Amino acid sequence: MTTLSFTSTGEIDIQPSATSSKNDFDFFEGQWNVHNKKLKSRLNNCIEWIEFDAVQEMRKVLSGIGNVDNMKTNVDGNNFEGMSLRLFDPAKKLWSIYWADNNAGVLDKPVVGSFDKNSGNFFCKDKYHEQDIIMQFHWDIADKNAPVWSQAFSIDNGKTWEWNWYMYFSKVDKVNKVDDLNRDQQLEVIELRNYIIKNGQRDRFIDYYEQNLMLPQNELNGFTLGQYKIKYAENNFFFIRGFHNMDSRNKFLNDFYLGPSWKQHRNLVNPMIVNNDHVHLLKPLPINNPGNTVEAFNSNWFGKKKGIAVIDYFIANQKRDKLIDFMQTTYISNLKNAGIKDISFWISESSPNEFTTLPVFQDKNLLVSIHFYKDELEYQSKLKRAEANLTEAQMNKMLDIITIKNTLILYSTEGCFHYE
């Protein structure tokens, strides 16, 4: 076991445990949710604790003898990011752990130590507000899916300790559960959600969304069907969310946005968003169905797609019925002849949006197509083939019916929803 002792000159003497190895932190690789409990002030008999949540991710470096993690959170409305750098000395069989954060911008003095089975202890001499202290990090990894880290200060060379910070970790391993929840759902309505994120924060937003908000939504029957970045829109995040029906959607919106999960994360998420009102509420367009009655659409069609997604928005001013008829009688068969078979069509859901806090577009002139390709080369070649197959009369009819066409090319964020 790593113990604290001192040399004749008063320096800390750290000896490794017999089992110390470069694999000691393997348990910590990956993504975590973190509940923090931290003393409001230190070394003054404070008993008031501050509690806040964070997300963290650790990855190995230097062929496994080192690792780096990043912790991100929001405290009192301010973004906070910290990182740890851990390095293993194969000769001494000791770990050195360095900390830095966005407040100070420097690496702190390292704490040094090792693990003995499920307990890790690390020490260093330091100063806190000009006072000499011994600092200790302790890891309890009896449950490797829920480890606990704690920090203590001593002003009497380790005779007594003030424990001032605890981190309770829970493993983020949500891929399989999200996949299971999304699989084989019958959907009558979807949302196309196009968010604008603050400059430079999109990737951070996507990471946070996929780590913390996908699973809670899917558990409440708000199914995330795909997450994307938009070509030529570096600050946009686009995702598709599906529901069994409008009643299910209304229940989800109330359960999620008024529930504990959103309450926990909203103060971290909302400061990153510039605009989240660009949302289209859609229902499937039944192909070759004369009555145009609503039919459920299977969620598996979204989940199995890789490569790029292409979304076309067709606005037919007062002519949507003619556009639908043209699609059903002419255009869809033309697309299939050009090899475009992985495509679906959607029209606006006109039922009242009862959750007015989140506004949506419900354009009666709108028709939307969603299609998937392995890459842009396949998309462009098949699109040219489809357009070449149209007769001049068909092309002119299409141009007459369609007032506006807008196309988005979407790249998957390679998040959770990926099952085969």
Side-chain angles (χ1 to χ4, degrees):
M1 180 177 180
T2 305
T3 57
L4 175 64
S5 60
F6 299 89
T7 66
S8 59
T9 60
E11 296 303 314
I12 290 179
D13 182 24
I14 304 294
Q15 297 298 319
S17 69
T19 60
S20 180
S21 82
K22 71 174 186 178
N23 304 116
D24 285 335
F25 281 98
D26 285 2
F27 74 93
F28 200 43
E29 189 171 16
Q31 298 174 347
W32 301 83
N33 290 322
V34 192
H35 183 71
N36 290 266
K37 182 180 178 182
K38 188 176 182 180
L39 276 182
K40 188 173 183 178
S41 60
R42 299 170 182 173
L43 301 180
N44 61 2
N45 299 314
C46 177
I47 59 173
E48 183 178 354
W49 294 89
I50 300 170
E51 299 192 38
F52 58 95
D53 294 308
V55 294
Q56 187 157 320
E57 182 172 7
M58 188 273 262
R59 60 185 177 88
K60 291 183 178 181
V61 296
L62 302 177
S63 300
I65 68 166
N67 60 73
V68 178
D69 71 53
N70 284 84
M71 183 184 77
K72 299 177 182 179
T73 187
N74 186 288
V75 182
D76 296 328
N78 298 311
N79 288 333
F80 176 82
E81 183 171 352
M83 63 162 284
S84 297
L85 168 65
R86 304 179 186 87
L87 298 173
F88 182 75
D89 186 330
K92 295 181 179 180
K93 296 189 68 177
L94 288 170
W95 284 92
S96 295
I97 305 175
Y98 303 80
W99 169 262
D101 60 49
N102 63 317
N103 290 328
V106 297
L107 286 174
D108 288 348
K109 291 182 64 176
V111 292
V112 178
S114 63
F115 274 88
D116 183 16
K117 296 181 181 177
N118 291 326
S119 180
N121 293 285
F122 308 84
F123 305 92
C124 79
K125 277 190 170 183
D126 207 342
K127 286 184 178 291
Y128 182 74
H129 291 177
E130 303 304 320
Q131 186 172 11
D132 291 331
I133 63 169
I134 305 295
M135 182 162 59
Q136 177 182 177
F137 288 178
H138 175 72
W139 278 97
D140 177 353
I141 59 170
D143 182 349
K144 290 183 172 58
N145 287 316
V148 179
W149 173 91
S150 51
Q151 173 184 273
F153 292 171
S154 174
I155 58 175
D156 54 14
N157 283 339
K159 294 178 183 178
T160 61
W161 294 94
E162 177 192 79
W163 293 93
N164 52 54
W165 194 350
Y166 294 88
M167 290 184 177
Y168 303 92
F169 293 87
S170 56
K171 186 75 171 179
V172 177
D173 186 14
K174 302 175 179 179
V175 172
N176 290 335
K177 191 168 184 180
V178 169
D179 287 352
D180 288 341
L181 290 168
N182 277 16
R183 186 177 288 109
D184 209 28
Q185 300 292 335
Q186 301 302 309
L187 310 173
E188 292 184 9
V189 62
I190 65 170
E191 297 170 340
L192 304 185
R193 308 191 68 87
N194 188 351
Y195 287 8
I196 302 175
I197 310 302
K198 286 184 178 178
N199 188 38
Q201 296 196 40
R202 181 184 64 180
D203 289 349
R204 178 172 179 244
F205 179 90
I206 292 172
D207 288 343
Y208 195 90
Y209 177 87
E210 293 181 344
Q211 292 173 28
N212 298 282
L213 296 176
M214 281 184 61
L215 182 56
Q217 290 184 81
N218 281 267
E219 288 175 329
L220 294 172
N221 295 328
F223 305 103
T224 304
L225 306 174
Q227 312 92 254
Y228 305 95
K229 299 176 183 179
I230 304 176
K231 186 176 181 179
Y232 303 129
E234 62 182 19
N235 291 324
N236 287 60
F237 170 57
F238 190 103
F239 67 101
I240 304 173
R241 188 163 64 185
F243 306 93
H244 292 139
N245 48 49
M246 284 297 288
D247 288 340
S248 173
R249 176 181 181 269
N250 188 54
K251 184 177 187 307
F252 162 82
L253 294 174
N254 283 278
D255 290 347
F256 179 72
Y257 289 105
L258 303 180
S261 182
W262 182 243
K263 183 178 179 181
Q264 176 186 352
H265 297 290
R266 65 189 179 191
N267 289 336
L268 282 167
V269 172
N270 282 333
M272 290 187 275
I273 300 174
V274 175
N275 185 287
N276 63 350
D277 294 338
H278 189 170
V279 180
H280 284 91
L281 186 64
L282 306 173
K283 61 184 178 182
L285 173 66
I287 303 302
N288 297 324
N289 184 339
N292 285 336
T293 55
V294 174
E295 294 177 351
F297 198 92
N298 195 288
S299 62
N300 293 356
W301 185 82
F302 292 93
K304 295 179 179 178
K305 304 300 177 288
K306 294 185 178 181
I308 67 167
V310 177
I311 299 187
D312 292 316
Y313 297 86
F314 301 94
I315 301 292
N317 192 5
Q318 305 301 317
K319 297 180 180 179
R320 194 188 67 174
D321 289 345
K322 291 183 178 180
L323 176 58
I324 291 173
D325 180 70
F326 179 78
M327 290 290 180
Q328 291 180 331
T329 59
T330 304
Y331 195 64
I332 291 174
S333 60
N334 185 62
L335 295 177
K336 290 181 178 179
N337 290 335
I340 302 176
K341 300 177 182 179
D342 216 358
I343 189 166
S344 63
F345 290 87
W346 305 79
I347 56 177
S348 292
E349 170 57 64
S350 57
S351 300
N353 174 37
E354 296 182 4
F355 199 83
T356 55
T357 305
L358 294 179
V360 295
F361 288 116
Q362 295 174 285
D363 189 344
K364 65 180 182 180
N365 297 310
L366 178 68
L367 174 69
V368 175
S369 66
I370 304 173
H371 34 132
F372 294 90
Y373 305 87
K374 65 180 181 180
D375 53 35
E376 280 196 64
L377 180 61
E378 182 191 21
Y379 163 60
Q380 295 293 348
S381 63
K382 288 185 176 180
L383 180 63
K384 288 180 180 179
R385 196 182 311 160
E387 291 176 346
N389 289 340
L390 286 172
T391 67
E392 184 176 356
Q394 290 170 339
M395 180 63 76
N396 288 336
K397 184 175 183 180
M398 192 171 179
L399 292 173
D400 172 60
I401 295 171
I402 299 171
T403 310
I404 300 172
K405 179 186 176 185
N406 183 35
T407 298
L408 299 183
I409 297 177
L410 309 177
Y411 288 87
S412 173
T413 65
E414 299 182 356
C416 292
F417 193 36
H418 68 274
Y419 69 80
E420 293 289 356

